[in-house]
Amino acid sequence: MIVALTFVLLIVLGMPIGFAIGFAGVVGLIDMGGTQFLAIGPSKIFNGLNIFPFLAMPFFILAGEIMNDIGITSRLVKLAQVLVGRFRGGLAHTNMLASVFFAGLTGSATADAAAFGRTLVPAMVKEGYSRDYACAVTAAGSIIGPTIPPSGLMVVYGSLMGVSIAGLFAAGVLPGLVICLVCMAVIAIGGKRENLPKALRGATLGEIWQTFLSSLTALAMPVIILGGILGGIVTPTEAASIAVAYALFIGAFIYRTLTFKSFYGMLVRTARITGVIFVIIAFASILGWWMSFERIPQLIAETVLGLSDNRYVVIAIIVGLLLVVGMVMDITAILIILAPVLVPLTEQVGLEPIHAGIIFVLALNISLMTPPVGACLFVLSSVTGETLERISLKLMPFLVAEITILFAFAFWDDAALWLPRLLGFAQ
């Protein structure tokens, strides 16, 4: 109890989540047996980060920074626009489809929200969309980024829980595409109600072909990453480093927009993002060890199974807990703290490890767009000047649709594991 109270108090006082987790873990060690247990703290921190697949994260983040900086975003948006811009609400559909293209480059929801918040949202407002609706569409599409691989959250989950990262990547493709299609349906259904503008004309086949050719260098990157990983040619870490090399080559020799000054800024931003994530992971390893020592995962599993041993009820409880906690806490911290607690529960009700992983990833990704602390909402609010309240109201139909998709993939094993089974990552 004292550990939980310490953690909550520090969060309320505004301490960064990583350090709050660390202090709570130290309190737990002292509560176990005095200061003598503190000696194991440094080794737990080191072991928490001494996991080779974690190297993929800074490489994927840097590759996304480079591709975003050298002008890839505008090319992908243009390609999406010539494909779906002819429909009512064409720019909203473009926003959603561009998120699918962008997902294969960055794997980051906040990067998607920031990039499109600066480019597509102003363009949509200029075309006659309300700013809060444009922000809502961008937020709804942003979670496609960390769902379709590469995904930093999948790297963390796979590394911590010993689950195939390639299998998780394969499992994320179908949900990401379904989210895109369902959100486009929501846009189409609400088109008249929101008075979305119609396109003046559709693109010709020639325009589509030319735009496709100009986007080939961008579209090749996710093919290289996913093809190498899912084909068993390279590991996720190797694929991430290849992605960085490819992005540098494109920026320096094909587009010729990469400069030393801009590259230095990318390295700084990558270091900051990676540092925040790794601090959380490092300190959470202390808290996780304390929880294991106190048998907290087993106690929670026994409590939940005492309520019901029905597979679907247990899954619903896990999903609901992740969504609720995700509303008030950083998703990386949630994953590191709750995955070791809840995964044994999923095993007891017969969930495949990859299936359990994709449930965690989908639920926590949706938390990025739920108030009051959804990271994508804050990014869009700061970039566009729109209020969180107005964005959240317009976001509701998309949020309901995406939560429905989450439960569908949580309950339907064959859908969640179709591609991993096809590629031999699951049985």
Side-chain angles (χ1 to χ4, degrees), residues 84-147:
V84 297
R86 68 183 67 210
F87 306 113
R88 175 186 284 275
L91 270 182
H93 291 300
T94 297
N95 193 324
M96 204 60 61
L97 186 58
S99 293
V100 173
F101 295 150
F102 203 61
L105 305 181
T106 66
S108 168
T110 52
D112 184 308
F116 292 162
R118 295 189 183 97
T119 54
L120 272 177
V121 170
M124 291 173 71
V125 172
K126 187 177 180 180
E127 288 290 323
Y129 295 79
S130 64
R131 189 169 59 179
D132 52 355
Y133 183 80
C135 289
V137 171
T138 304
S142 66
I143 72 161
I144 297 173
T147 302

Side-chain angles (χ1 to χ4, degrees), residues 20-51:
I21 291 172
F23 272 106
V26 168
V27 170
L29 294 179
I30 295 174
D31 185 58
M32 284 168 52
T35 56
Q36 59 182 347
F37 276 89
L38 294 180
I40 68 172
S43 66
K44 293 300 177 185
I45 290 175
F46 176 80
N47 291 332
L49 290 175
N50 190 28
I51 301 174

Side-chain angles (χ1 to χ4, degrees), residues 323-341:
L323 290 174
V324 170
V325 178
M327 294 176 66
V328 294
M329 191 173 168
D330 177 85
I331 63 170
T332 305
I334 296 171
L335 183 65
I336 297 167
I337 294 172
L338 290 186
V341 174

Side-chain angles (χ1 to χ4, degrees), residues 31-237:
D31 185 58
M32 284 168 52
T35 56
Q36 59 182 347
F37 276 89
L38 294 180
I40 68 172
S43 66
K44 293 300 177 185
I45 290 175
F46 176 80
N47 291 332
L49 290 175
N50 190 28
I51 301 174
F52 180 73
F54 280 162
L55 282 176
M57 293 182 63
F59 281 119
F60 278 133
I61 294 169
L62 180 57
E65 288 282 345
I66 298 170
M67 297 296 272
N68 194 23
D69 184 84
I70 63 179
I72 289 295
T73 303
S74 59
R75 293 171 185 262
L76 294 179
V77 168
K78 189 174 181 182
L79 175 62
Q81 191 166 5
V82 299
L83 291 175
V84 297
R86 68 183 67 210
F87 306 113
R88 175 186 284 275
L91 270 182
H93 291 300
T94 297
N95 193 324
M96 204 60 61
L97 186 58
S99 293
V100 173
F101 295 150
F102 203 61
L105 305 181
T106 66
S108 168
T110 52
D112 184 308
F116 292 162
R118 295 189 183 97
T119 54
L120 272 177
V121 170
M124 291 173 71
V125 172
K126 187 177 180 180
E127 288 290 323
Y129 295 79
S130 64
R131 189 169 59 179
D132 52 355
Y133 183 80
C135 289
V137 171
T138 304
S142 66
I143 72 161
I144 297 173
T147 302
I148 295 178
S151 168
L153 209 59
M154 292 180 186
V155 172
V156 174
Y157 182 91
S159 301
L160 290 176
M161 304 311 300
V163 178
S164 168
I165 296 174
L168 291 170
F169 279 9
V173 174
L174 185 59
L177 295 177
V178 171
I179 289 172
C180 174
L181 292 174
V182 171
C183 286
M184 290 176 74
V186 172
I187 293 168
I189 293 170
K192 289 187 178 180
R193 184 183 70 252
E194 296 290 341
N195 194 28
L196 302 183
K198 294 181 179 179
L200 297 178
R201 71 175 185 88
T204 65
L205 288 176
E207 289 173 333
I208 293 174
W209 178 246
Q210 290 299 320
T211 305
F212 173 74
L213 289 178
S214 68
S215 305
L216 273 178
T217 49
L219 296 174
M221 185 170 174
V223 174
I224 292 171
I225 295 173
L226 290 183
I229 295 173
L230 300 183
I233 301 171
V234 294
T235 66
T237 304

